[in-house]
Amino acid sequence: MGKHRHDDHSHGHTDVPLDALKDKLRAGSRKITGPRQAILDVLRRESHPLTNREILQHLGHEECDLATIYRSMHLLGALGLVRKYDFGDGIARFELVRGDDETHHHHLICTACATVVEIDECFPTALEQTIAAQSGFSKLTHKLEFFGVCPKCQ
Amino acid sequence: MGKHRHDDHSHGHTDVPLDALKDKLRAGSRKITGPRQAILDVLRRESHPLTNREILQHLGHEECDLATIYRSMHLLGALGLVRKYDFGDGIARFELVRGDDETHHHHLICTACATVVEIDECFPTALEQTIAAQSGFSKLTHKLEFFGVCPKCQ
DNA sequence: ATTATAATTGCAAACGATTTGCAGGCATGG
DNA sequence: CCATGCCTGCAAATCGTTTGCAATTATAAT
């Protein structure tokens, strides 16, 4: 294809996710390709979860194929570089995992204008232990998103 | 079509959801049809959320069309007789709303065998007020499901 | 550097859940 | 009992996502 102009290797700020990408990719004998770097770039610039189609639009339709984005998101998710969210509309959204450890959080979505607010606290984590004890389940995780009408849409 | 054999109008227990169905349907000048009653019957017999395809199988493929089930679930959901759940696999699941008021609850799903356990407590409700106050959002709701590995699948 | 090899991509077709257009069929009010 | 308009079945259309395949590219070895 030869049209991945990913030449910004000289910007100033620390390029954490890109380094992490390279490390993790190499650890699995996967390749550091243009589309993968470009996708992480897009995610790094955005602060809220993006759909694959939105990522494509940010990249420009010429930059990379939608199928490649889907495949990349699977890989990036498996590598722990990206987290997948479900806002209840049947479209997957992805957000960059910032920092090495847990960046677990939830979202508050406006049902009128789709504005997304990040909720930093994670409430159910403590309760998972109670549920695990009562149910006998192990490896508990959860999905939690809040919905409402934002101030502008009242 | 003429093949909706919904003739069990003589069973003993109180038929709450059917009465509610009739009331709410009449209030919107909608019709009390065989498929709608049959679907609620299926849901009443099951204690965990069903996909539309599962509902179709319970009904028997001759009883009603899949498209009708989809349309019915929209209607029943709008009437508040049924609640929609999303277990993260991209397939909608529906559960009967039992009782007139809030039957708000969540689920714990085994990621290995898909067993569903109902979690009666609703933890985030209290926290919604905090979030509403901090964010300025109104009409807060939330979606919360837990995932883990059940005792049998450990 | 050059090459060999496996990973990756683009494209298009396949897929599965859900929606919808339409013509005929029914529930309900009059 | 009739007329009206809501509903249904069927099939085709949508939409997000996945996948097969041949061509392309990153990487390691030479």
Side-chain angles (χ1 to χ4, degrees), chain A residues 102 104 106 122 124-144, chain B residues 106-112 115 117-119 121 123 144-151 154:
Chain A
E102 272 298 317
H104 189 92
H106 303 287
C122 173
T125 291
L127 305 161
E128 280 183 357
Q129 304 185 17
T130 308
I131 294 177
Q134 292 177 354
S135 65
F137 277 53
S138 63
K139 304 202 195 87
L140 272 267
T141 59
H142 63 265
K143 286 177 175 289
L144 169 63
Chain B
H106 303 286
H107 302 93
L108 169 56
I109 301 111
C110 177
T111 53
T115 290
V117 175
E118 191 165 302
I119 304 291
E121 302 95 333
F123 311 105
L144 168 63
E145 305 298 343
F146 294 90
F147 302 88
V149 181
C150 79
Q154 307 275 355

Side-chain angles (χ1 to χ4, degrees), chain A residues 82-138:
Chain A
V82 144
R83 201 161 286 143
K84 179 181 179 180
Y85 291 96
D86 174 11
F87 287 0
D89 59 358
I91 311 177
R93 280 158 220 271
F94 298 90
E95 201 174 58
L96 192 64
V97 173
R98 301 173 190 278
D100 303 291
D101 307 307
E102 272 298 317
T103 324
H104 189 92
H105 62 266
H106 303 287
H107 302 93
L108 169 56
I109 301 110
C110 177
T111 53
C113 70
T115 291
V116 177
V117 175
E118 192 165 301
I119 304 291
D120 294 319
E121 302 94 333
C122 173
F123 311 103
T125 291
L127 305 161
E128 280 183 357
Q129 304 185 17
T130 308
I131 294 177
Q134 292 177 354
S135 65
F137 277 53
S138 63

Side-chain angles (χ1 to χ4, degrees), chain A residues 52-56 61 64-72:
Chain A
N52 283 349
R53 198 166 296 275
E54 287 170 339
I55 292 172
L56 178 65
H61 285 252
C64 131
D65 188 77
L66 186 55
T68 298
I69 298 181
Y70 274 95
R71 284 189 273 234
S72 295

Side-chain angles (χ1 to χ4, degrees), chain B residues 1 30-31 33 36 65 68 71:
Chain B
M1 39 175 172
R30 325 301 292 272
K31 295 181 180 174
T33 67
R36 289 172 183 172
D65 188 78
T68 297
R71 284 189 273 233

